[in-house]
Amino acid sequence: MTDSTKESTKEFTLERDCELRFEIESKTQIIVELKSGFAELYGTELVKAKKYTFIQGAKVAIFSYQGCVLVIKGTPDVCYIARETPMIQYLNTHSAIEQMREKADERGTTGPVTLVVGPTDVGKSTLCRILLNYAVRLGHRPIYADIDVGQGSISIPGTICSLLIERPAHIEEGFSQLAPLVIHFGHKAPDFNNELYKICVSTLADITMERLKEDKRTQSSGVIINTCGWVKGQGYQHLLHATKAFKAGIILVLDQERLYNELLRDVDSSVKVVFLPKSGGVVERSQQARAESRDFRIREYFYGSRSPLYPHSIDIKWADMKVYKIGAPSLPDSCMPLGMKAADNMTKPWPIQPGPQLLHHILALSFAENVEQDVLKKNIWGFVCVTNVDVERQTITVLSPQPRPLPNTVMLLSELQFIDSH
């Protein structure tokens, strides 16, 4: 326990339908305990008398429908009780989705597929977490799909993923990350390669919708999809593409009326478009904060967060590596081979000669064993990070979550980099 947790112990009484919000920006930890009443964190119920620890970077909103007393040890950078909160509207949204699940279960059909959209920093991933937690608390098994390549709530940034949710998220650590389906994109935003992003989303949608059919309870539970915050121009076209790819029946629009009205105009009339307000506790992040968040997610993949992991350092000969990058610099159609378009160039695997240019880059290990297989539609074993390049010996050293040998497979270069400071 740090000194800061000994400095201050405060008791907060929340009335009905109120929320305690706090942020931790400094290198300290805050301990929260539910003394009496009932409270939840993004849909996960707090257990009375159990101590929950939150660390630097945490942005927390503990809500109570019936009122409660919370004890906080430590001094958050920001801390206040909010009496105006959208949680009742979020609960009503969950209730409407729940009715669709019940009808799907009775008919033996696919449950509601819900797309959560909105600009950056409006609480899309938080709303997804709330809706997923409410679903599993009622015995459902929904699938969570995350097509936001910028932050990576399931895997590392630069990927899109889906995950079967079977139990509520852990208060401190979120959802269990066991057995996610991960598709490699390799960039921190869709506009780095729009054509590739569309293929990745379509691939994830096809596999996810097939997975729904494997279990009756999962099929009726449906899918909840988190999206990128890019909602203008090509970003808006990506939202329309995702709606069609996943066959979404509900679109929840957070905070932006313009986007809500555009979607009402452009999507099929069978799709329900619902406008919801964002929480007043949502904080707009700077570019630096976003970069730090990406770095933290990658670090967490290799080293863990609360439960430490111990990755392995492995040397690989250049001759044993099959490294590819998806997409080459764009060229005008007139410069392309006969019958080939510039868009094709952006979705083709290009071989990369191992060398110093790989230093600090993330490499995705594809399930495709050779490039003749459709590497764009294969999911990922896992990731390694290049920590050293020895030109004389023609070897590279990678940081790997698992010991040698690595799968003998195609490695896909990611533009994301991670500098290992351990």
Side-chain angles (χ1 to χ4, degrees):
M1 185 180 294
T2 63
D3 292 338
S4 59
T5 56
K6 299 176 184 177
E7 287 175 4
S8 169
T9 300
K10 291 185 178 180
E11 195 172 276
F12 293 86
T13 301
L14 270 63
E15 299 174 358
R16 182 178 177 178
D17 298 338
C18 288
E19 196 168 66
L20 177 67
R21 299 171 182 163
F22 65 84
E23 300 173 26
I24 309 173
E25 298 172 358
S26 53
K27 289 185 178 180
T28 185
Q29 63 181 25
I30 303 298
I31 297 174
V32 177
E33 181 182 346
L34 177 63
K35 189 174 180 181
S36 63
F38 298 90
E40 61 180 47
L41 177 73
Y42 307 136
T44 303
E45 292 182 292
L46 274 68
V47 178
K48 284 180 186 173
K50 183 174 180 178
K51 293 179 171 61
Y52 299 98
T53 303
F54 299 92
I55 58 176
Q56 183 181 13
K59 294 176 175 58
V60 179
I62 299 175
F63 181 81
S64 178
Y65 286 107
Q66 299 169 314
C68 69
V69 176
L70 295 166
V71 176
I72 290 188
K73 293 183 180 180
T75 307
D77 295 274
V78 178
C79 185
Y80 62 96
I81 293 176
R83 289 172 175 79
E84 295 294 329
T85 158
M87 282 297 295
I88 299 300
Q89 287 153 288
Y90 295 170
L91 177 63
N92 291 339
T93 302
H94 156 72
S95 298
I97 295 173
E98 179 61 21
Q99 290 177 10
M100 295 179 188
R101 290 191 182 107
E102 290 174 357
K103 289 180 180 178
D105 188 45
E106 291 172 2
R107 299 169 181 171
T109 57
T110 299
V113 178
T114 306
L115 207 69
V116 179
V117 306
T120 56
D121 298 326
V122 293
K124 294 187 295 296
S125 57
T126 298
L127 177 57
C128 289
R129 179 167 169 173
I130 291 169
L131 296 175
L132 289 163
N133 277 327
Y134 284 169
V136 293
R137 282 167 61 179
L138 291 177
H140 299 295
R141 289 161 49 99
I143 289 179
Y144 175 36
D146 185 8
I147 60 174
D148 179 3
V149 294
Q151 296 301 310
S153 62
I154 297 177
S155 183
I156 68 171
T159 61
I160 63 172
C161 321
S162 67
L163 181 69
L164 178 65
I165 306 297
E166 300 182 89
R167 57 185 61 87
H170 189 277
I171 289 288
E172 299 162 339
E173 298 180 3
F175 291 112
S176 169
Q177 302 291 301
L178 292 176
L181 170 71
V182 182
I183 304 294
H184 169 81
F185 176 63
H187 305 276
K188 61 183 180 182
D191 61 341
F192 281 87
N193 194 332
N194 287 307
E195 294 302 319
L196 176 61
Y197 182 75
K198 287 180 182 178
I199 291 175
C200 290
V201 170
S202 295
T203 299
L204 185 74
D206 291 344
I207 300 174
T208 299
M209 300 314 287
E210 280 298 316
R211 192 177 184 185
L212 275 181
K213 300 173 184 177
E214 294 177 1
D215 178 81
K216 186 176 183 295
R217 189 149 60 107
T218 298
Q219 184 179 20
S220 62
S221 299
V223 187
I224 292 176
I225 307 154
N226 183 41
T227 60
C228 293
W230 184 26
V231 297
K232 295 181 180 178
Q234 186 62 48
Y236 179 71
Q237 297 304 316
H238 286 316
L239 294 181
L240 295 179
H241 174 255
T243 302
K244 291 180 180 178
F246 281 95
K247 299 180 177 64
I250 307 167
I251 302 178
L252 304 179
V253 184
L254 280 171
D255 192 51
Q256 195 175 90
E257 290 189 10
R258 173 184 169 180
L259 177 62
Y260 167 72
N261 284 289
E262 287 176 339
L263 288 167
L264 273 178
R265 178 194 68 205
D266 294 334
V267 300
D268 190 271
S269 58
S270 62
V271 179
K272 295 179 175 64
V273 184
V274 181
F275 179 81
L276 292 172
K278 70 175 181 179
S279 169
V282 172
V283 180
E284 189 171 337
R285 293 175 293 175
S286 64
Q287 291 294 329
Q288 180 182 351
R290 290 178 169 281
E292 289 173 354
S293 175
R294 282 192 290 271
D295 190 70
F296 176 80
R297 288 292 296 163
I298 298 172
R299 185 179 305 278
E300 189 178 43
Y301 175 80
F302 289 106
Y303 288 100
S305 55
R306 298 173 186 276
S307 302
L309 302 176
Y310 302 96
H312 303 265
S313 189
I314 301 173
D315 291 336
I316 308 175
K317 294 179 181 178
W318 290 5
D320 296 336
M321 298 178 66
K322 296 174 285 186
V323 183
Y324 292 85
K325 178 182 177 182
I326 307 298
S330 58
L331 294 171
D333 287 345
S334 59
C335 297
M336 301 300 295
L338 188 63
M340 188 176 180
K341 298 180 179 179
D344 301 328
N345 205 36
M346 298 301 292
T347 58
K348 181 181 177 181
W350 297 87
I352 299 292
Q353 176 62 36
Q357 78 276 12
L358 296 182
L359 186 62
H360 302 312
H361 278 272
I362 300 294
L363 299 176
L365 278 62
S366 172
F367 266 96
E369 295 182 358
N370 56 70
V371 77
E372 283 71 31
Q373 295 183 18
D374 196 345
V375 294
L376 300 185
K377 298 187 177 181
K378 292 287 185 178
N379 54 313
I380 298 301
W381 281 96
F383 304 91
V384 296
C385 178
V386 180
T387 56
N388 187 53
V389 179
D390 190 324
V391 178
E392 290 185 7
R393 295 174 55 219
Q394 294 205 330
T395 61
I396 67 166
T397 304
V398 298
L399 191 69
S400 168
Q402 75 168 48
R404 67 172 70 242
L406 296 177
N408 182 24
T409 183
V410 170
M411 293 182 174
L412 301 175
L413 177 66
S414 172
E415 290 300 308
L416 279 83
Q417 293 178 283
F418 172 67
I419 298 177
D420 183 19
S421 58
H422 276 66

